[in-house]
Amino acid sequence: MSTDVTVPTFGTRLRRFVSRETTGGALLIIAAILALVLANSAWRQWYLDLSETVLGFAYLGPLHIHLDLTVAAWAADGLLAIFFFVVGLELKHEFVAGSLRSPKEAGVPMLAAVGGMALPAIIYTVVVLALGDSSALEGWAIPTATDIAFALAVLAVFGKGLPAAIRTFLLTLAVVDDLLAIIVIAVFYTAEVQFGYLAASLVVIALFGWYVRTRTPRWWLLVPLFVVAWAFMHASGVHATVAGVLMGFTVAARPVHGEAQSRTHRYELAVKPWSQGLALPIFAFFAAGVDLRDGGGIAEVLEQPVVLAILAGLVLGKLLGVLGTTWLVTRVTPLRLAQGIGVRDLLPVALLAGIGFTVSLLITELSFGHESEHTLGAKSAILLASVIAAVLGALMLRWDVRQARTADMNRDDVDDAVTDFIGDEKDRLEH
């Protein structure tokens, strides 16, 4: 008998470990806690000095390319482009070959994502106006975002045994949420556009898209093209992470040149460890470090109108927006939930959608800047709301797991054919 068993190398095992949703969520939490500890300790000045250290250069010959950025800005504008490239890959796959390819199947979570963004923005606006702080209106988009990595990590840990269709619903909702957040960033948080640089970036993105579809694209050519496209996009005034999404969209989502799997899948496997293991934790480390002693202490910070607005938007707005939109859509349209999903399953999903974190922190920086009086309160509210949403979502997931399930959870008068569950062998291998 043959005993030839291929043993994965240490590098392969490390990539698989870092790519897991639970690992990505854990690294985000660790980075945020470390940042909070440093920002509120004797190491505060070192942390601030590191964040404000300027790296890079402003000019390349006669061209003003604005690359003299602080370390914190490099994390937000540079490293997050890697994360958004992975988001672009996921979006492209879902639109072409995944859950978004069929409007009938994707309609409910897509519309739930829209409702889950609109209501938090409305609640935020109403609260800051009611409390007399119109200067905080620029942050209306902060509670609209959902953190994919964090939310899926909580679902993976506490939702074991639930149908895998629930994960697909949350992923679809979060991916559409991120797509809309990217559009919001591009449209509402771009002050002045340098169209020459923007055109140059689009040309390089088109070149990247052509080359990534050739028979044997090489990473050592793709990476420089990515960096150049990013740099031109940054110089244009449009947030540079948009370049990452656009380049993700250019990758083929179906097998080409006789390959066994799509390149979106292959590139996601290759880049996701860098995104979850490096880009997101470093961004969280520099973005989440708020000194709770500033602004009169934590009590005074939490009294700011922007704090209540974000808390209400992320925890309450997301919950009511996702549940209300789903209820309305499934009753007045032919659209229905996927097989295996019941209305009660959407309660923990809607709570998990209130985990803003990464994109919410980014929008805070774009809304108020680093020195604004609102920034400290906004970041504190995002961290607090994300923790509340994660804890409530985890508790409701454990409650949902213990409940008996019927043969027709989605009430479409057809027995559900559910074979895949969160935490089973197939799910562990894929996620």
Side-chain angles (χ1 to χ4, degrees):
M1 294 178 62
S2 174
T3 58
D4 183 18
V5 178
T6 302
V7 179
T9 64
F10 172 76
T12 299
R13 294 197 302 271
L14 180 62
R15 285 195 298 273
R16 289 176 180 173
F17 174 73
V18 175
S19 296
R20 290 176 184 167
E21 290 161 356
T22 49
T23 304
L27 290 175
L28 273 178
I29 295 171
I30 292 170
I33 292 174
L34 181 59
L36 284 170
V37 170
L38 290 174
N40 292 273
S41 69
W43 290 84
R44 179 196 181 195
Q45 195 56 49
W46 173 84
Y47 175 80
L48 293 176
D49 290 343
L50 177 62
S51 299
E52 296 302 317
T53 300
V54 176
L55 300 175
F57 43 88
Y59 289 89
L60 182 62
L63 299 177
H64 190 197
I65 58 174
H66 310 282
L67 290 181
D68 50 337
L69 307 175
T70 64
V71 172
W74 276 111
D77 292 0
L79 288 179
L80 270 195
I82 301 173
F83 164 72
F84 278 104
F85 176 70
V86 174
V87 170
L89 292 172
E90 291 177 340
L91 280 167
K92 180 65 176 293
H93 173 78
E94 295 300 326
F95 275 121
V96 175
S99 61
L100 299 180
R101 72 185 185 279
S102 170
K104 185 177 180 180
E105 294 181 10
V108 177
M110 289 177 70
L111 292 172
V114 175
M117 292 186 72
L119 190 57
I122 293 170
I123 289 176
Y124 177 96
T125 303
V126 169
V127 170
V128 295
L129 289 177
L131 296 178
D133 192 6
S134 59
S135 62
L137 279 176
E138 291 185 5
W140 63 270
I142 293 172
T144 64
T146 296
D147 189 289
I148 295 177
F150 204 159
L152 290 179
V154 176
L155 179 63
V157 172
F158 296 97
K160 293 177 180 177
L162 293 175
I166 296 174
R167 182 192 181 277
T168 303
F169 186 100
L170 177 60
L171 177 62
T172 303
L173 185 152
V175 165
V176 173
D177 192 308
D178 270 3
L179 175 61
L180 295 175
I182 292 161
I183 295 172
V184 167
I185 290 171
V187 174
F188 294 98
Y189 293 98
T190 298
E192 183 179 350
V193 179
Q194 301 291 330
F195 288 99
Y197 285 122
L198 179 60
S201 178
L202 294 177
V203 168
V204 179
I205 290 171
L207 181 60
F208 178 96
W210 165 79
Y211 183 63
V212 81
R213 289 170 172 268
T214 59
R215 182 171 294 276
T216 54
R218 306 297 183 184
W219 70 265
W220 43 267
L221 287 177
L222 288 172
V223 171
L225 286 172
F226 186 97
V227 172
V228 172
W230 171 89
F232 279 136
M233 186 67 74
H234 175 80
S236 75
V238 178
H239 200 267
T241 53
V242 174
V245 178
L246 293 178
M247 281 183 278
F249 266 116
T250 66
V251 180
R254 297 189 186 279
V256 293
H257 303 295
E259 296 168 344
Q261 58 182 200
S262 68
R263 292 188 178 180
T264 50
H265 181 68
R266 284 173 45 205
Y267 281 52
E268 182 182 351
L269 291 177
V271 180
K272 199 168 188 178
W274 295 97
S275 172
Q276 292 197 160
L278 185 70
L280 289 179
I282 291 178
F283 169 74
F285 176 77
F286 287 107
V290 293
D291 189 342
L292 299 176
R293 300 169 299 178
D294 285 345
I298 186 170
E300 192 168 324
V301 169
L302 295 179
E303 290 176 357
Q304 294 181 19
V306 71
V307 173
L308 181 58
I310 292 173
L311 282 171
L314 279 175
V315 179
L316 187 61
K318 283 287 186 181
L319 177 66
L320 297 179
V322 170
L323 290 181
T325 303
T326 303
W327 178 86
L328 184 64
V329 166
T330 54
R331 276 159 179 75
V332 303
T333 75
L335 298 175
R336 292 292 179 269
L337 293 168
Q339 289 190 357
I341 302 181
V343 175
R344 74 160 191 251
D345 299 319
L346 298 186
L347 179 56
V349 168
L351 287 167
L352 294 182
I355 302 174
F357 209 68
T358 305
V359 181
S360 290
L361 290 171
L362 173 61
I363 295 177
T364 297
E365 295 282 356
L366 297 176
S367 300
F368 302 131
H370 187 64
E371 303 295 333
S372 170
E373 61 178 334
H374 300 302
T375 301
L376 176 62
K379 289 188 175 183
S380 302
I382 291 166
L383 297 176
L384 181 57
S386 296
V387 170
I388 292 172
V391 170
L392 292 177
L395 291 174
M396 293 310 302
L397 282 170
R398 296 314 303 161
W399 169 82
D400 195 14
V401 168
R402 293 192 293 268
Q403 304 305 304
R405 307 189 72 82
T406 65
D408 183 21
M409 289 296 295
N410 64 347
R411 298 184 179 180
D412 62 352
D413 298 324
V414 178
D415 285 354
D416 299 330
V418 179
T419 57
D420 298 328
F421 298 89
I422 297 171
D424 63 15
E425 184 177 357
K426 179 182 177 182
D427 188 67
R428 290 197 304 271
L429 290 174
E430 293 181 351
H431 307 295

